[in-house]
Amino acid sequence: YGTSNNRLIQEKIYHAYNEKICHIRSTKPTKSIYAESCKDSRENFGVPQIAGNHHITNLNVFRKPIHQAFLKNFTGEYRFARQFDDQLAVTIVGIMEQHLENKRRG
């Protein structure tokens, strides 16, 4: 599946969440994924492509205004455009929800 390194995705994340995310990493034993904030503006950016053949989605998370703002910005003016894979949208919202929750907890 690989990794999407398009900096425009990083800009869209920053626009919606006011967070500069540079890395989305996974833990090997449990296969959990999490976001890391940038330490340096020169860091590489990457979002792993995650297969969407089976996942459970909490739609209440996607209905939150902060995530709706991201999704509207992510898709742009023409919602049927295929500039970015739709699985990236599902992945980023889930990751950012957890990232924001971790920040709230300290």
Side-chain angles (χ1 to χ4, degrees):
Y1 280 65
T3 301
S4 179
N5 299 316
N6 190 328
R7 287 274 182 186
L8 185 55
I9 297 169
Q10 185 182 42
E11 291 172 24
K12 289 177 180 285
I13 292 171
Y14 181 75
H15 180 76
Y17 301 106
N18 201 27
E19 287 278 336
K20 271 285 199 195
I21 299 298
C22 280
H23 303 287
I24 297 174
R25 306 226 190 256
S26 65
T27 59
K28 294 294 179 195
T30 60
K31 295 289 186 189
S32 298
I33 56 176
Y34 60 95
E36 289 182 350
S37 298
C38 298
K39 296 177 184 87
D40 184 324
S41 63
R42 296 172 303 218
E43 285 187 69
N44 291 331
F45 170 75
V47 178
Q49 300 282 343
I50 299 172
N53 50 6
H54 178 74
H55 63 83
I56 298 170
T57 304
N58 180 348
L59 293 179
N60 288 330
V61 168
F62 284 82
R63 291 183 185 113
K64 290 182 178 180
I66 193 165
H67 300 309
Q68 285 292 303
F70 166 73
L71 292 168
K72 286 178 181 159
N73 188 349
F74 188 76
T75 57
E77 292 295 315
Y78 184 65
R79 66 181 178 185
F80 298 111
R82 295 294 295 177
Q83 181 177 10
F84 302 115
D85 184 78
D86 57 340
Q87 192 59 40
L88 280 174
V90 173
T91 301
I92 291 169
V93 167
I95 288 169
M96 291 309 297
E97 174 68 15
Q98 189 61 52
H99 185 71
L100 297 171
E101 183 62 29
N102 289 345
K103 282 184 68 174
R104 281 190 286 269
R105 291 181 185 173

